[in-house]
Amino acid sequence: MAAEPQPQLSEAQIAVHWREEDYYRPSAKFVAQANAGDPAIIERFGEEHFPECFREYADLLTWDTYWHTTLESSRPPFWKWFVGGRLNGCYNCVDRHLATSRNKAAFICVPEPEEQDTRAITYQELYRRVNEFAALLRGFGGVDTGDRVTFHLPMVPELPVSMLACARLGAIHSEVFGGFSGTACGDRIADSGSRVLVTMDGYYRGGTLVDHKAKADEAVAAARKLGQEGDKVLVWRRHPGQYASKSPMVEGRDFFVDEILADYGGHSIEPVSMPAEAPLFLMYTSGTTGRPKGCQHSTGGYLAYVAGTSKYYQDIHPEDTYWCAADIGWITGHSYIVYGPLLLGTTSVLYEGVPTYPDAGRCWRIAERLGVNIFHTAPTTIRMLRKVGPHEPSRYDYHLKHMTTVGEPIEPEVWRWYHDEVGKGEAAVVDTWWMTETGGFLGSTLPALQPMKPGSCGPGVLGIYPVIYDEDGNVVEGGSGKAGNICIRNPWPGVLQTVWGQPDRFVDIYYRRYCKDPDSTDWRDWPFLCGDGAVQAADGYFRILGRIDDVINVAGHRLGTKELESATLTVEEVAEAAAVPVMDELRGRAVEMYVALNPGLASSPEIEQKVAAAIEREIGKIARPRNVWIVPDMPKTRSGKIMRRVIAGISNFADVGDVTTLANPEIVDDIRHHVQSAKLARGDAPRELSPQQAQEIRDFGKAE
C-alpha cells in the first residue's frame, strides 16, 4: 500500500516562525577610526551612481594606463570592467609599497610546531623572493604571459610568493586546495591546460609532517589520462636541503625549487602591464555536474573589488595586524589573505596548521603574541573553538577591533559566543555572504554604519543590489516572511568573467534562469543567480538559508554531489550512488553516501570502507563521508531519477515528504529502518532541525 502523503508547509509558513534577533552596535572607539565612517558612502554607491561608483574602488590601485570605460556591457553577461586600463597585480601588491614600507612585515609566518620560529617577511624581502621565483618560472619553467600554472600548495609563504610571481609575469595561476587529492588536482591541471605544477614536499598538519609530494605523482598521472602532459613539477621544500617525502623525484620532470633558485638570485623581472580584463587566476569550484568549474577572475576588476571591500568592510588600515585564518586554497584566501590585504599595504599573519593544535588556546596565543587586531575565520572554526575551549579567549591578553565570519551561515548562538568571548564585547563583527564566483563580499554590514544582527549577513554591500525571486521570477518582497532565490541585479567588478573553456555553461548556471531578454544588452535584464536560498527582513537584512543546487557545504568547502557520486562509482561493486547532506554540530554539514550494489553482491563493511577510501582518493579527506549506507535499492521516480530528498530526510530523521510518486515506495521504510536503527545504536541521536534546515532537506535534489 502506498504511503500516506505528508502535509507540506510552504516556505512562507515556515519563514514566519524565524525569529529576528536584536541589533548589536559597534563601540564609539571603533566608529571613530573606521575607514567607512561617513554615511555619505552609502549614497555614493547607490544605484543611481552605478557603475561609476566603482571608480572609488579602482582608484585604490595604481594604473599604468587609466581606463576609458568603467563597464562595457555590449556582450552580456560577459562584462568587462575598466576597459582600456592597464596594470600589474604584483606591482600593486608589492612594488608600490617599497618607497614607504619596505621594512614593514607583509606576512608574519607562523609554523604549526610552536617550537619552530615565527618569521616576518618584509615587503622588501617579498619583492626579492617574488622576482627570483618569477625569473625561475620564466627562464627555467618556460612560463609566459597567458600561460596557466597550477599550484598544489599548503598554507606556507611559498604560496603567495608563487601567486605573485605569476601575476608579475601575466601568467594565470590556479591554486588547488592542499587538502584535495592528487586526482582532483590532475583534473584541474587538465581542464586549465597547465604544463607546470608547483607543489611542496610536506607540511605540518595536526602535529604531523604530511607527505604532500606523493600527490604530485597522482596529479600528473590523472592529467595525462585526460590528455594533458606536464613539462615540470617544481617542488618547494618545507625545510630547504631536507626532503620530507617518500615519493622519489622523477628525473627530468621533478625539480627542487631551492636548488634552481640559486641560478636566479638577485634577478628582477619587470612587471608585465596587463589589460584590466586579462585573467588573473582560475579558482575551481564544485558544481552540480562532475566536472569542476574553473571560475576565471580578471585583473583590474577583481583587484579593485577586493581592495575596496577589504578597506571598507574589514576596516583594514596599513598599521593593522590582520589574520585571516582561512586557507589560500579557497577564494577567501585569495581575496582576503593575499590580494586584498597586500593591496592595502598591511601586515598579515599566515598560519600553517590546525587552529586547535596543540590545544584550544593556540589562536589566542598567536593573537596575543603578534598583536592581532583583526581576525577573520569561518563558522566551522568558530564552532570548533567554542566546543573545545569555550573560555580559552579570556585567558589571553589580546584585543580585536574587528572580526569577520565567512563561508556559511552562522547560528545566532555561535555568533554571540564569537562576539562576547572571542571579541570580548569590544570587536565589531561582520558576517559576510559571498562565494567563489563573486570574487568578494556580496552581503554584509558596514561595521561602523550598520548595526550587526546575529544570523543575518546584512544588506547588499556597496554597489551590490540584491533581489529575491520566486520560482516564477516574481520579486519576493522584504518583510513578507517568504523565502526564494537570491540574485544580484547588477554586474560588479569582482564577478567571474566566465567558466574557463565553457562559456555556455557560464551563462546556463548563473544567468539563464532569470534573464528577462536574451537579446538585451541592458545589464538590468541579466540578474546573477547566486545559488542560495534567502529571506529578507523588513529592515533589508538578508538571512541566507543554504544552497538551492546539489552542493553540500562541508566546513565551508563546497562539494558537488556529482563529484562525490562519480568517485563512489569507481568502486567496482557499486551500481548506483547518491550523496546527501546531514546536519553536523561542528562542520555545519557532513556527507553521507547511499550505494546500491551490483546484482548478486552482499553488503559488507569492506565495501563501505572502499567507498570512503575512493572518495578520499578522488577528492580529499575533507570529503570523507560520515557514513556509507548500502541499501537494496534507491528510492526512484518512474523515470528512474533517484529521489535524494527522501534519503536526505532519512539521514536527518526528518520528514521524507510525499513518496506516492515513487516507482518503489515500499523501499523507503526498509531504508529508514536500516539507517535510523543503525544510527541510534551508535548513539547518533536525532537532532531537532531548525525550520530552515528542514526546508533545505526538503529542497535537496531539486536542482536535477
Side-chain angles (χ1 to χ4, degrees):
M1 182 177 174
E4 193 80 288
Q6 299 291 323
Q8 295 287 300
L9 291 175
S10 70
E11 289 177 330
Q13 288 171 307
I14 293 167
V16 295
H17 297 292
W18 295 337
R19 176 188 159 199
E20 288 297 328
E21 302 286 333
D22 294 332
Y23 292 120
Y24 286 64
R25 298 187 184 276
S27 68
K29 180 180 178 182
F30 179 87
V31 173
Q33 61 81 62
N35 283 323
D38 181 358
I41 194 171
I42 296 173
E43 181 184 341
R44 293 201 304 273
F45 279 83
E47 192 169 341
E48 66 275 17
H49 300 300
F50 179 85
E52 298 305 320
C53 56
F54 281 115
R55 297 172 74 96
E56 195 163 333
Y57 282 7
D59 284 340
L60 296 171
L61 308 178
T62 298
W63 295 82
D64 302 327
T65 305
Y66 213 60
W67 66 90
H68 55 69
T69 304
T70 302
L71 171 62
E72 206 274 281
S73 56
S74 63
R75 190 172 160 250
F78 300 93
W79 321 110
K80 293 181 179 180
W81 283 90
F82 311 121
V83 179
R86 301 185 74 92
L87 74 167
N88 180 271
C90 179
Y91 177 89
N92 272 272
C93 288
V94 184
D95 302 43
R96 66 177 180 153
H97 301 310
L98 298 181
T100 58
S101 306
R102 67 174 61 243
N103 296 320
K104 176 182 174 179
F107 290 109
I108 303 175
C109 304
V110 182
E112 188 187 71
E114 286 196 271
E115 68 275 9
Q116 294 185 8
D117 292 337
T118 293
R119 180 160 175 252
I121 298 178
T122 65
Y123 276 93
Q124 180 65 45
E125 185 181 353
L126 184 61
Y127 173 82
R128 175 187 63 80
R129 292 185 62 174
V130 166
N131 271 276
E132 290 175 355
F133 191 59
L136 185 154
L137 284 176
R138 178 184 282 177
F140 183 77
V143 173
D144 205 352
T145 300
D147 288 348
R148 280 77 60 207
V149 180
T150 300
F151 308 146
H152 198 199
L153 289 166
M155 282 292 290
V156 290
E158 288 78 7
L159 177 47
V161 165
S162 300
M163 292 168 64
L164 293 164
C166 279
R168 196 167 192 85
L169 297 173
I172 302 167
H173 60 76
S174 171
E175 157 69 0
V176 179
F177 171 55
F180 276 167
S181 69
T183 302
C185 180
D187 291 344
R188 289 151 175 79
I189 289 171
D191 190 81
S192 67
S194 169
R195 295 179 296 103
V196 175
L197 172 63
V198 181
T199 188
M200 180 162 258
D201 61 343
Y203 63 98
Y204 288 93
R205 190 80 182 165
T208 301
L209 184 57
V210 177
D211 184 344
H212 189 64
K213 162 62 169 61
K215 294 182 179 181
D217 302 325
E218 299 169 6
V220 171
R224 183 179 294 124
K225 283 183 182 177
L226 295 170
Q228 180 63 28
E229 288 288 344
D231 293 345
K232 292 181 173 69
V233 176
L234 303 179
V235 183
W236 291 98
R237 284 193 272 200
R238 176 61 176 77
H239 300 287
Q242 302 175 33
Y243 190 41
S245 174
K246 294 179 181 177
S247 171
M249 297 287 282
V250 176
E251 188 174 354
R253 187 198 76 181
D254 300 350
F255 303 90
F256 290 126
V257 173
D258 57 302
E259 290 181 354
I260 306 165
L261 268 177
D263 297 331
Y264 295 92
H267 284 219
S268 61
I269 294 289
E270 189 69 20
V272 177
S273 188
M274 300 297 291
E277 61 269 28
L280 178 65
F281 67 89
L282 304 179
M283 171 63 68
Y284 281 86
T285 186
S286 294
T288 52
T289 64
R291 184 179 176 186
K293 306 190 297 286
C295 298
Q296 175 183 313
H297 283 285
S298 69
T299 301
Y302 169 81
L303 293 176
Y305 197 70
V306 297
T309 49
S310 292
K311 178 173 182 175
Y312 294 127
Y313 283 90
Q314 301 206 89
D315 198 55
I316 293 175
H317 298 67
E319 62 271 19
D320 289 325
T321 300
Y322 165 84
W323 182 13
C324 177
D327 195 294
I328 299 173
W330 303 104
I331 191 67
T332 294
H334 276 48
S335 298
Y336 299 118
I337 296 179
V338 180
Y339 286 114
L342 289 178
L343 288 167
L344 298 179
T346 197
T347 296
S348 287
V349 174
L350 191 68
Y351 175 57
E352 177 181 33
V354 177
T356 53
Y357 182 83
D359 55 58
R362 184 65 189 278
C363 285
W364 321 128
R365 285 197 295 279
I366 292 171
E368 179 184 67
R369 181 163 58 90
L370 301 182
V372 172
N373 67 339
I374 303 177
F375 186 66
H376 182 160
T377 195
T380 295
T381 301
I382 299 168
R383 287 190 291 264
M384 179 170 56
L385 291 166
R386 175 177 176 248
K387 181 177 182 180
V388 300
H391 304 299
E392 283 291 309
S394 64
R395 298 180 55 216
Y396 297 93
D397 185 23
Y398 68 86
H399 294 277
L400 303 174
K401 71 167 185 176
H402 182 291
M403 305 190 304
T404 307
T405 172
V406 64
E408 53 185 308
I410 184 169
E411 301 84 354
E413 63 273 18
V414 178
W415 188 101
R416 279 187 281 271
W417 179 84
Y418 192 42
H419 176 272
D420 297 344
E421 298 294 330
V422 177
K424 302 179 180 180
E426 302 169 346
V429 178
V430 294
D431 179 356
T432 61
W433 163 70
W434 60 299
M435 59 209 68
T436 303
E437 295 89 335
T438 71
F441 305 146
L442 292 181
S444 188
T445 50
L446 275 169
L449 298 176
Q450 295 160 326
M452 307 162 260
K453 187 165 68 169
S456 297
C457 68
V461 303
L462 295 170
I464 297 292
Y465 317 125
V467 63
I468 296 178
Y469 292 120
D470 66 16
E471 297 297 320
D472 299 318
N474 303 306
V475 173
V476 178
E477 299 295 341
S480 66
K482 295 181 180 179
N485 301 327
I486 189 167
C487 300
I488 309 300
R489 293 190 293 105
N490 62 297
W492 65 97
V495 70
L496 79 163
Q497 296 175 293
T498 188
V499 172
W500 178 262
Q502 303 177 77
D504 291 341
R505 188 181 183 196
F506 167 69
V507 177
D508 288 343
I509 293 172
Y510 303 108
Y511 292 98
R512 186 83 67 198
R513 183 167 184 177
Y514 290 115
C515 179
K516 298 167 187 171
D517 178 2
D519 296 321
S520 173
T521 58
D522 186 337
W523 59 262
R524 296 168 186 82
D525 291 326
W526 292 88
F528 179 91
L529 175 64
C530 299
D532 282 322
V535 63
Q536 186 180 24
D539 60 9
Y541 282 32
F542 293 93
R543 184 191 294 245
I544 306 302
L545 308 179
R547 301 298 298 170
I548 59 173
D549 58 16
D550 290 349
V551 172
I552 303 173
N553 192 333
V554 178
H557 309 317
R558 283 169 58 185
L559 303 174
T561 54
K562 287 295 186 294
E563 284 184 281
L564 292 158
E565 291 160 7
S566 296
T568 300
L569 290 170
T570 64
V571 177
E572 60 183 0
E573 292 92 342
V574 174
E576 294 179 309
V580 299
V582 62
M583 303 304 157
D584 184 273
E585 181 182 357
L586 288 181
R587 295 183 293 171
R589 306 290 181 273
V591 173
E592 292 198 341
M593 295 301 306
Y594 285 73
V595 298
L597 304 181
N598 287 313
L601 296 177
S603 64
S604 70
E606 289 73 25
I607 296 176
E608 294 174 10
Q609 291 163 9
K610 286 176 74 172
V611 168
I615 291 172
E616 189 171 320
R617 181 184 68 246
E618 297 290 318
I619 302 174
K621 288 184 179 179
I622 188 66
R624 188 177 179 90
R626 177 194 278 182
N627 291 301
V628 176
W629 304 113
I630 298 176
V631 295
D633 195 8
M634 299 285 190
K636 295 173 187 168
T637 64
R638 290 177 177 84
S639 61
K641 174 188 168 185
I642 298 172
M643 290 296 284
R644 286 168 176 79
R645 67 164 172 80
V646 172
I647 50 180
I650 290 170
S651 275
N652 288 278
F653 291 89
D655 177 18
V656 298
D658 182 6
V659 297
T660 57
T661 59
L662 294 180
N664 54 348
E666 69 287 346
I667 200 69
V668 175
D669 283 338
D670 290 346
I671 296 173
R672 182 192 283 116
H673 175 75
H674 167 55
V675 169
Q676 294 184 354
S677 60
K679 286 193 169 198
L680 291 169
R682 297 173 190 176
D684 190 358
R687 298 178 63 216
E688 183 177 353
L689 302 183
S690 69
Q692 52 265 56
Q693 289 172 338
Q695 187 66 39
E696 177 185 333
I697 296 303
R698 272 189 286 271
D699 287 344
F700 193 76
K702 274 188 179 178
E704 294 192 2

